Amino acid sequence: MTDFDADLFVIGAGSGGVRAARVAAMHGARVVIAEEFRIGGTCVIRGCVPKKLMVYASRFKDDFEDAAGFGWSVRPPSFDWPKLVAAKEKEISLLSEVYRANLIKSGVRVEQSRAELDGPQSVRLCASGRKVSARTVLVSTGASPVLEPDIPGRGFAITSNEVFDLPELPKRLLIIGGGYIAVEFASVFARLGSNVAMAVRGENVLRGFDGDMRNGVRDALLRSGIELSFGVLPTNVEKSAAGYHVTLTKGARVDADQVLIATGRRPNTKGLGLENAGVELDCLGAIKVDAFSQTNIDSIYAVGDVTNRVALTPVAIREGHAFADTVFGGRPEAVNYEAIPTAVFSTPELGCVGSTEEEARAACDRVDVYAANFRPLKAALSGRAERTLMKIIADANTDRVLGAHILGEDAAEMAQLLAIAIKLGAKKADFDATMALHPTAAEELVTLRTRTARYEREVAGPEGPDCAPLGAE
Ligand code: NDP
């Protein structure tokens, strides 16, 4: 018997917390989960799910245009933003309720309240002031968008938290940032009918992704009519009669109806009472954990974005599951972070798994690159000026495939499947030995026979006559 009110108290009912709570309960633990907002967390409520719904909505624009090339006559389509917002809201409310129902079905007690740590094994429910003692506490409070840089008038700007529920579609949207969120929303809003401008402080979008893919995304954004400025920062946001004036470095000014700041996210650790329990944070305010998601305090664990390891939903879910198996299932599991597939849902979308060319060249002595840049079959009739890029990176010494990157329709779906092969340690020869499925874009991945470039550590650049830059045909 135990003196604790619960075996596990989970703070935050997002992807990681919900999975941990349910699995722990299935292992027989008495679990309480507290959520101050809506059950489901960022992914379900104001992240992946509503974003993907909006991506679908935006792509109809291309479909209507493309249809003509296939013999269809489409009357000029019109788009109703409030209708999309309402449909999206209905779906995420439903999903949130499913999450709640599944928690309850698993025997988890759900508390609709903010919860803060009162000590290493004590949590206070802010709504009632009630204290709950727990043998183990899991912090899974996620992260929130930052409003940076810290410039006058930044309070006028919105973040990805607000963008899903704007009362009307902005005619002119300025997006600050060039990461996942900035690129995805630029692509969405440009298709829904907004005039979109992006102000990016770097020299390109999507830092950290493969260089050729970054260029491909940049070109696709430009083709969508998005105005891109690189090497600029906002310095001031002012309210104007019709919206906002934004001053950028280099003296540029942009008028916009909405300004979306998408310059990263910060772990939600403020005011959680972590100091009451002595939990250590890193310099970004993320909770420091070991391979089993345990903090420096034995009874306290943390999973998901609040730990700032890999800020992706499936990773948080896996961390939550591994935590529950480790602590309550008697099966210690450290999450393996290798070969995590990821996608940027621009249009066309970018799907990737494993090393970029740049990472591979930094890590390996000899790297082979196989690349294709082609016009997708659909574009032959639609007339769309779209390119599909594919790239396989292999270790030239072992032939092992280190990374695969695709920019094109269904790239995310392909990346998910490629992740299995790469996780299994597939060699380029295994790709070559795989029969193609025709006619698909994906068949290109198993028919890429000609090396585009080989890089050797000692050699400054691509060697030999077969070192054509990606894009040359
Ligand atoms: P990202 O880290 O992806 O991008 C941030 C962008 O803002 C970069 O372009 C960065 O520039 C720029 N930036 C950072 N600080 C400043 C500043 N002070 N002034 C001006 N620009 C700045 O963050 P996001 O907000 O786009 O997304 C947050 C996280 O959410 C992602 O990292 C990802 O983990 C997750 N996410 C995943 C998605 C998916 O899986 N499809 C979709 C959306 C989000 P620089 O490159 O120079 O640093």
Side-chain angles (χ1 to χ4, degrees):
M1 279 302 284
T2 165
D3 294 323
F4 294 102
D5 299 326
D7 298 315
L8 172 65
F9 195 110
V10 181
I11 306 180
S15 301
V18 166
R19 174 60 66 94
R22 289 185 59 198
V23 175
M26 284 180 217
H27 285 311
R30 297 168 307 139
V31 184
V32 182
I33 191 167
E35 171 58 53
E36 63 179 327
F37 187 51
R38 295 168 74 182
I39 290 181
T42 300
C43 172
V44 172
I45 308 298
R46 44 197 183 191
C48 323
V49 175
K51 181 274 306 291
K52 190 79 187 279
L53 293 174
M54 291 198 169
V55 169
Y56 285 129
S58 72
R59 288 181 179 166
F60 282 104
K61 168 164 187 293
D62 298 18
D63 293 341
F64 290 130
E65 289 167 6
D66 290 353
F70 293 85
W72 291 92
S73 309
V74 181
R75 269 177 289 163
S78 64
F79 170 68
D80 187 330
W81 169 260
K83 215 167 164 175
L84 172 64
V85 172
K88 176 272 308 174
E89 181 52 35
K90 196 170 158 198
E91 177 59 21
I92 64 163
S93 298
L94 200 83
L95 272 178
S96 183
E97 278 317 305
V98 169
Y99 268 61
R100 179 189 295 277
N102 285 341
L103 280 166
I104 292 167
K105 225 186 319 175
S106 307
V108 176
R109 198 171 90 215
V110 180
E111 295 282 355
Q112 193 64 55
S113 168
R114 180 173 173 80
E116 293 173 4
L117 277 162
D118 208 41
Q121 292 177 303
S122 175
V123 178
R124 191 171 61 86
L125 292 165
C126 301
S128 60
R130 190 157 51 88
K131 288 185 184 173
V132 180
S133 63
R135 183 184 296 281
T136 302
V137 177
L138 177 71
V139 183
S140 49
T141 47
S144 297
V146 296
L147 263 187
E148 287 176 5
D150 182 4
I151 52 166
R154 67 180 174 151
F156 291 127
I158 57 168
T159 68
S160 57
N161 280 353
E162 294 79 39
V163 74
F164 292 111
D165 295 299
L166 291 174
E168 56 189 49
L169 184 74
K171 287 193 184 62
R172 301 161 304 171
L173 175 66
L174 172 66
I175 302 179
I176 314 287
Y180 276 92
I181 292 177
V183 165
E184 292 182 339
F185 281 112
S187 195
V188 164
F189 279 93
R191 282 173 174 73
L192 295 182
S194 303
N195 284 317
V196 179
M198 287 176 76
V200 183
R201 74 173 174 185
E203 77 299 342
N204 203 347
V205 292
L206 296 177
R207 186 193 299 277
F209 284 80
D210 184 272
D212 290 314
M213 299 294 143
R214 296 174 73 190
N215 290 341
V217 171
R218 176 202 61 204
D219 294 348
L221 293 171
L222 288 168
R223 276 199 302 273
S224 311
I226 294 159
E227 203 180 298
L228 276 164
S229 306
F230 292 111
V232 291
L233 282 168
T235 55
N236 188 32
V237 183
E238 284 169 276
K239 187 119 186 63
S240 67
Y244 305 99
H245 285 309
V246 183
T247 311
L248 303 174
T249 48
K250 298 184 177 171
R253 275 170 80 84
V254 179
D255 288 310
D257 301 305
Q258 293 288 353
V259 180
L260 170 65
I261 292 189
T263 53
R265 297 171 62 82
R266 185 140 314 138
N268 289 327
T269 46
K270 278 216 177 101
L272 268 185
L274 292 164
E275 60 290 351
N276 299 333
V279 175
E280 274 180 25
L281 306 182
D282 71 12
C283 57
L284 294 172
I287 297 180
K288 284 198 213 167
V289 287
D290 67 11
F292 296 96
S293 296
Q294 190 172 28
T295 69
N296 60 311
I297 304 298
D298 285 352
S299 56
I300 301 179
Y301 290 71
V303 296
D305 290 5
V306 76
T307 62
N308 201 26
R309 285 176 279 183
V310 181
L312 295 170
T313 296
V315 177
I317 292 173
R318 186 60 69 90
E319 289 169 353
H321 202 130
F323 152 78
D325 282 348
T326 301
V327 178
F328 298 100
R331 285 201 305 269
E333 192 199 331
V335 172
N336 181 330
Y337 294 90
E338 273 169 35
I340 297 170
T342 186
V344 180
F345 290 98
S346 49
T347 302
E349 64 197 32
L350 174 58
C352 324
V353 55
S355 307
T356 63
E357 180 183 317
E358 294 78 7
E359 287 165 349
R361 287 171 61 185
C364 301
D365 288 340
R366 294 166 78 231
V367 173
D368 283 342
V369 178
Y370 299 83
N373 175 340
F374 58 94
R375 189 180 201 204
L377 179 60
K378 191 174 165 193
L381 294 199
S382 70
R384 183 167 294 282
E386 183 180 318
R387 308 295 298 177
T388 295
L389 307 188
M390 291 186 177
K391 199 166 171 186
I392 295 176
I393 321 288
D395 182 329
N397 288 336
T398 62
D399 198 37
R400 188 169 169 173
V401 175
L402 303 171
H405 308 265
I406 305 154
L407 179 67
E409 198 170 332
D410 296 328
E413 309 288 340
M414 290 184 235
Q416 175 66 88
L417 298 180
L418 281 168
I420 302 172
I422 291 181
K423 193 90 182 159
L424 285 171
K427 299 195 163 174
K428 177 63 171 58
D430 297 317
F431 277 54
D432 297 343
T434 303
M435 195 66 79
L437 195 164
H438 186 66
T440 60
E443 68 182 303
E444 201 70 30
L445 292 163
V446 297
T447 55
L448 270 175
R449 292 284 191 281
T450 314
R451 198 170 63 210
T452 318
R454 166 166 291 174
Y455 297 92
E456 305 213 7
R457 205 190 277 283
E458 305 73 28
V459 180
E463 58 123 72
D466 57 352
C467 297
L470 176 61
E473 286 182 303

